[in-house]
Amino acid sequence: MKQRLEALKKELHYHNYRYYVLDDPLIADAQYDALLRELQQLEAEHPEWVTADSPTQRVGATPSSAFSPVAHAVPMLSLGNAFAEDELIAFDKRVTDSLKQQGLLKATESLSYNAEYKFDGLAVSLRYEKGVLVRAATRGDGYTGEDITANVRTIKSIPLQLQGEPSTWPLVLEVRGEVLMHHADFIVLNQQQHQRGEKPFANPRNAAAGSLRQLDPKITAQRPLRFYAYGWGAIEMPSGTQADLFAGDTDQAEPFSTQSDMLDWLQQFGFPVDSHRAVLQGVQALMDFYQRTMAEREALPYEIDGVVYKVNHLAWQRALGFVARAPRFAIAHKFPAQETTTKLLAIEVQVGRTGAITPVARLEPVEVGGVTVTNATLHNEDEIRRKDVRIGDTVIVRRAGDVIPEVVAPVLDLRPAHTQQFVFPTECPVCGSAIERPEDEAIARCTGGLVCAAQRKQSLEHAASRKALDIEGLGTKLIEQLVDSGRVKNLADLFTLQTLELAAYPRMGAKSAANVVQAIAAAKTPPLARLIYALGIRHVGEATAKALAEHFGTLSHLMQATQEQLLQVNDVGPVVAASIAHFFAEPHNIQVLEQLQQVGVQPQSPAQTAVTTASAIAGKTFVLTGTLPNWTRDEAKAQIEAAGGKVTGSVSKKTDYVVAGAEAGSKLTRAEQLGITILDEAGLQQLLVS
C-alpha cells in the first residue's frame, strides 16, 4: 500500500508538470481527479505517510525557469471537488455544523452560498498598485508563480488601470481569475494554425494556456484571450488597513462583507465577472443551480467544467478556514468528464443516406460524460491525416451533450511503435460500388445510390422519421429486415405493406403490424413540405422544403422547375438548386415518385393546409423553452406554425410570447427581463383555439 502511495505521488507530480508547466497534459481531467482521490484516500487512512511534497499538499507544479518567479502575497489555493450529490450534501453538512458549533449560524437556518461557473482555463493573479497593473503571475504551485505581466498586458479584457474614481481605488489590489478562449475564437485560431501548416490546439484550455505562456508577448497579442475575475488576494485600502481576506483575522476591515458584494465591487473597477452567478440558500438550491447550468452548458460561448459554491459571508469563510490545499468554505461541483483518453482499436467506415463515407473509430470502452463510449467519429479522410490519428494510438475522446463523440487528437507521447496508418477505401464496403470524392468537397461518397442497401435503409428511416412522414412504429430494426429480405426496395414499397406479412417478421405481433400499417396509411396525405423533406434530397432540410412547397404549391410544379426558377426561392442558392434539379433529373427518382402516386400518396399543398380563419397567433413570434407536459417542442412548433405563427430560437424585443415548460432556463429569465408574455402549455393551447 505504501508502494502504491509513492507511485501515485510520482505519477501525479509528472502530470502536474505536463499540465501546469508544459501545457501538454497526457491524461484527461477526470483521470487525474481519480488518481488524486485515490491518493487522498490512502493518506486519510495513513496520515503518518503524508509528506510536505505530496500532491495533496500542493496546488500545481514548479514554475518554469523561462519566467521569473513571483511569490504570492496570499496563496492561490485550489478547491476540493464534489462529483456526486451525496458529496455536496456532505460538504454542506460539514460547513453548516461547524458554523452552528461556533454560534455563527442558527440551528434552523440555511446557509447562504455564492454560486458561480467554474471556468476551464488558466488561473492568474493580477496585482494593481494605486489602480495600475504592475504584475501578473500564474498560479504555479500556489505559493510561487511565473511572471507573465508582459503577456497579460495584451489581453484586452484586463484593465491596465482600474475604472472609476481614483479615490475609490485600493492602494493594493490582487485580483484572481481565469484566462480562457471562447469557442468561436478557438475555431478561428485553429483554422489559422492549419493554414500556416502548424499543429492545431487540442481544446480551448490548451490554446489559452499555450498562448499565455509565450516567451514573445507579440504572439500572445495575436491570440483571442479573455479574462474573468472570481476572487482576490491581498487588498490594502486607502486608510492603510490591510484587508488580507485569508489571514484568519476576523478584526480586519474589508470593503464589503460578502463574496457576492466583493465580485460586484471588482466589476465596478472594470473586471469581467460571471454574469450567471447567484446567491442561494441551502443545498437543494445548489443542486438546482448545478442542473440548470449543466443543461445550458452547450449554449455557453466558453468552456466550463463545473460550478463553484462559496459560503457567502466573508467572516464565516475565515471562521471555517483551510485544509492543506483548499478552503473549507468552498467546493467545486464538477460535471461528468467530456474528455478522456482510450485506445483506438480500429477504424471502419459507415455509409450515410446520401452516400457519404464517414470513418468511425472503434474504441476500447470508456466513460465520457456519464455514457460508455465505444465508437467516435473521425469526420473525414482529411481530418484523419491532419490529426495524424493511427490505429493503436491512445486518443483523446470528447463528448459534448448529445453530440456524437469525436476523436480530438492522439496522445503522441504514448504512441507505440506498431501503430498503423488508415488507408481510405476506394470501394463501398456495403455494395462494392466505387467511392468518389469531388475535388471541391471534403466528403467522399458511394456512387451506388439506391443500389446500395446502406443508403436505402437510411433513406427509408429518414422518410419515416417524425419530421418527415412520421410513420410511428417503422423503426431502424424493422426497416433493416424489410430491406434485407428484399421486400422493400424504395419508398413506394412501404405503402404496399400488409398486416399479415409484417406480422411474420421477428418481434412483430399482429397488433404491432396492424399499428404500423395504419400509420403508413395515415402518411398517404402528408403536407407537401413534409413529403419534399422525406425524399431526402441532398442539402434540402425542413426549412428549405417548406420554402419550396410554399413557392411551387404542387409536387409536379417543383419537379418541372429549372435551376433559374429554383433560385427564386428563399434559402435556395446555386448549390441547393443544382442538387434539386439533379434529383428530379434521375430516372429512378421519377420512377419512385410515379409509384408513390400509384399507391395513393397525395401530398397536400400549402393552400389546402393553410389557416382559413384569422388566428390570434398569426404573425406572432414565439420562443419555446423547457419541457412541456404533453407536447414535444417540435409538436408545439408545428401547432404554432399551422396557426400562422413563427417560432425562433432566441428571445428578443421582437418576441411576442415565450412558452415555458419545466426546467426553463436563461430564455425564461430573458423574457421576464424584457416583459414578454409567458405562457405554459395550457395557455398556448387556449391561444390556439381563440
Side-chain angles (χ1 to χ4, degrees):
M1 192 174 293
K2 180 70 177 293
Q3 187 176 4
R4 175 57 180 164
L5 181 141
E6 294 299 328
L8 283 169
K9 286 165 60 175
K10 183 177 180 180
E11 186 174 0
L12 286 165
H13 278 313
Y14 178 66
H15 289 306
N16 278 340
Y17 173 76
R18 297 291 305 224
Y19 190 99
Y20 291 101
V21 178
L22 299 184
D23 300 319
D24 186 25
L26 285 180
I27 61 175
D29 288 351
Q31 291 163 295
Y32 178 92
D33 290 337
L35 293 172
L36 183 62
R37 286 161 72 85
E38 184 182 353
L39 178 59
Q40 289 171 329
Q41 181 63 35
L42 285 175
E43 290 184 344
E45 295 171 358
H46 299 277
E48 69 276 12
W49 291 349
V50 179
T51 57
D53 66 343
S54 171
T56 63
Q57 310 303 301
R58 301 174 44 160
V59 178
T62 304
S64 168
S65 59
F67 298 90
S68 301
V70 175
H72 297 303
V74 175
M76 290 184 69
L77 299 182
S78 185
L79 294 172
N81 293 323
F83 294 90
E85 287 188 355
D86 58 346
E87 293 175 308
L88 178 61
I89 293 170
F91 162 76
D92 177 67
K93 187 176 187 304
R94 284 196 306 272
V95 296
T96 300
D97 289 349
S98 176
L99 291 172
K100 288 178 179 178
Q101 290 169 6
Q102 297 179 59
L104 298 173
L105 190 67
K106 295 179 182 178
T108 58
E109 190 176 357
S110 294
L111 192 54
S112 175
Y113 294 94
N114 185 82
E116 58 197 73
Y117 289 174
K118 185 178 183 299
F119 298 106
D120 190 14
L122 189 73
V124 299
S125 179
L126 312 175
R127 183 178 176 89
Y128 291 79
E129 295 180 1
K130 297 181 179 179
V132 177
L133 177 65
V134 297
R135 187 179 304 116
T138 62
R139 183 198 298 272
D141 63 2
Y143 299 91
T144 303
E146 301 165 330
D147 191 330
I148 53 170
T149 308
N151 290 349
V152 161
R153 288 182 185 277
T154 70
I155 302 175
K156 295 179 181 179
S157 57
I158 293 178
L160 299 179
Q161 184 181 69
L162 300 182
Q163 292 183 7
E165 292 297 323
S167 60
T168 66
W169 296 344
L171 297 178
V172 174
L173 172 63
E174 287 185 353
V175 178
R176 272 74 191 272
E178 203 89 355
V179 171
L180 50 80
M181 192 174 292
H182 281 200
H183 293 303
D185 296 332
F186 171 71
I187 292 170
V188 172
L189 176 62
N190 262 355
Q191 289 172 344
Q192 294 169 347
Q193 292 286 102
H194 179 64
Q195 290 168 1
R196 290 191 292 262
E198 298 176 7
K199 180 182 176 182
F201 293 98
N203 53 53
R205 190 268 166 197
N206 281 7
S211 301
L212 193 59
R213 299 180 69 255
Q214 291 288 329
L215 295 178
D216 184 357
K218 293 179 182 177
I219 298 177
T220 306
Q222 298 171 4
R223 304 284 173 81
L225 299 176
R226 301 170 189 256
F227 174 79
Y228 290 87
Y230 54 68
W232 55 91
I235 301 176
E236 184 179 338
M237 300 306 293
S239 62
T241 303
Q242 286 286 337
D244 184 345
L245 304 181
F246 302 110
D249 186 349
T250 57
D251 295 328
Q252 297 294 347
E254 296 108 14
F256 296 98
S257 61
T258 67
Q259 180 83 21
S260 57
D261 286 342
M262 287 292 290
L263 292 176
D264 290 339
W265 186 61
L266 293 180
Q267 191 171 26
Q268 292 175 8
F269 289 137
F271 295 101
V273 298
D274 178 14
S275 61
H276 303 86
R277 66 190 189 281
V279 176
L280 305 171
Q281 294 285 133
V283 69
Q284 183 58 52
L286 301 186
M287 290 189 286
D288 292 343
F289 181 85
Y290 174 87
Q291 293 297 333
R292 287 197 306 272
T293 302
M294 191 156 59
E296 298 170 3
R297 180 184 186 185
E298 297 307 318
L300 296 175
Y302 43 69
E303 292 279 356
I304 61 173
D305 57 0
V307 294
V308 175
Y309 314 119
K310 299 175 184 176
V311 172
N312 200 31
H313 290 285
L314 300 182
W316 293 4
Q317 289 185 8
R318 290 194 299 273
L320 289 164
F322 302 83
V323 292
R325 70 188 297 271
R328 289 191 178 95
F329 57 79
I331 196 166
H333 195 175
K334 301 283 286 286
F335 293 139
Q338 287 191 304
E339 284 189 0
T340 191
T341 55
T342 189
K343 285 282 188 183
L344 196 163
L345 305 177
I347 298 177
E348 300 174 1
V349 296
Q350 290 183 343
V351 186
R353 175 171 56 84
T354 60
I357 304 294
T358 303
V360 176
R362 304 303 184 192
L363 306 170
E364 195 171 89
V366 64
E367 186 170 299
V368 191
V371 174
T372 300
V373 172
T374 56
N375 304 315
T377 182
L378 285 161
H379 297 294
N380 55 57
E381 183 179 12
D382 288 348
E383 281 292 284
I384 295 176
R385 301 287 174 261
R386 183 179 67 80
K387 294 176 180 177
D388 189 23
V389 176
R390 303 180 187 180
I391 299 167
D393 270 334
T394 294
V395 294
I396 300 170
V397 180
R398 176 178 176 81
R399 178 182 179 272
D402 295 326
V403 177
I404 298 171
E406 68 169 332
V407 172
V408 177
V411 183
L412 296 178
D413 286 16
L414 299 181
R415 171 170 284 171
H418 63 273
T419 58
Q420 300 175 12
Q421 290 189 333
F422 176 66
V423 178
F424 209 84
T426 58
E427 293 183 354
C428 174
V430 176
C431 70
S433 299
I435 291 176
E436 294 180 355
R437 178 181 168 183
E439 290 184 6
D440 58 343
E441 295 188 15
I443 304 296
R445 298 181 186 277
C446 166
T447 58
L450 292 181
V451 172
C452 179
Q455 293 184 58
R456 199 182 318 145
K457 290 174 184 176
Q458 293 192 58
S459 295
L460 292 169
E461 189 173 349
H462 167 78
S465 67
R466 182 161 44 87
K467 294 180 180 181
L469 298 180
D470 193 18
I471 305 176
E472 189 173 350
L474 192 61
T476 303
K477 293 294 185 183
L478 180 56
I479 288 173
E480 286 181 352
Q481 293 171 0
L482 292 169
V483 173
D484 290 342
S485 68
R487 174 61 179 83
V488 172
K489 296 181 175 62
N490 59 45
L491 181 58
D493 288 343
L494 289 178
F495 292 91
T496 65
L497 291 171
Q498 300 296 317
T499 301
L500 288 178
E501 62 175 326
L502 271 183
Y505 282 89
R507 296 186 294 277
M508 282 294 292
K511 184 175 181 181
S512 296
N515 289 339
V516 171
V517 171
Q518 185 178 357
I520 292 172
K524 284 189 175 183
T525 55
L528 177 59
R530 280 179 172 260
L531 179 62
I532 294 171
Y533 179 63
L535 294 177
I537 305 170
R538 193 177 170 204
H539 301 306
V540 175
E542 286 180 89
T544 304
K546 184 177 180 182
L548 290 168
E550 291 175 349
H551 185 88
F552 291 104
T554 67
L555 184 60
S556 61
H557 287 160
L558 173 60
M559 293 170 62
Q560 296 166 13
T562 64
Q563 289 195 44
E564 290 74 17
Q565 291 171 326
L566 289 166
L567 287 170
Q568 296 174 12
V569 181
N570 289 336
D571 296 333
V572 174
V575 173
V576 179
S579 178
I580 296 169
H582 179 268
F583 180 89
F584 289 117
E586 287 286 341
H588 66 266
N589 290 334
I590 300 299
Q591 183 179 3
V592 171
L593 291 169
E594 290 174 350
Q595 290 175 1
L596 284 171
Q597 187 177 12
Q598 291 168 7
V599 296
V601 175
Q602 297 178 339
Q604 303 298 293
S605 69
Q608 293 172 291
T609 57
V611 179
T612 56
T613 58
S615 165
I617 283 178
K620 302 296 184 180
T621 299
F622 289 73
V623 171
L624 305 172
T625 181
T627 303
L628 301 178
N630 300 304
W631 281 343
T632 65
R633 288 197 195 181
D634 285 335
E635 289 169 342
K637 178 182 178 182
Q639 293 284 347
I640 292 168
E641 290 181 342
K646 178 182 178 183
V647 178
T648 63
S650 59
V651 178
S652 70
K653 293 179 181 179
K654 296 181 180 179
T655 304
D656 295 297
Y657 298 97
V658 168
V659 182
E663 300 180 0
S666 58
K667 293 177 184 178
L668 176 59
T669 304
R670 177 67 172 159
E672 291 170 341
Q673 292 171 347
L674 294 176
I676 293 167
T677 302
I678 298 168
L679 304 172
D680 56 12
E681 185 183 290
L684 173 61
Q685 291 173 341
Q686 186 175 358
L687 199 63
L688 284 165
V689 298
S690 62

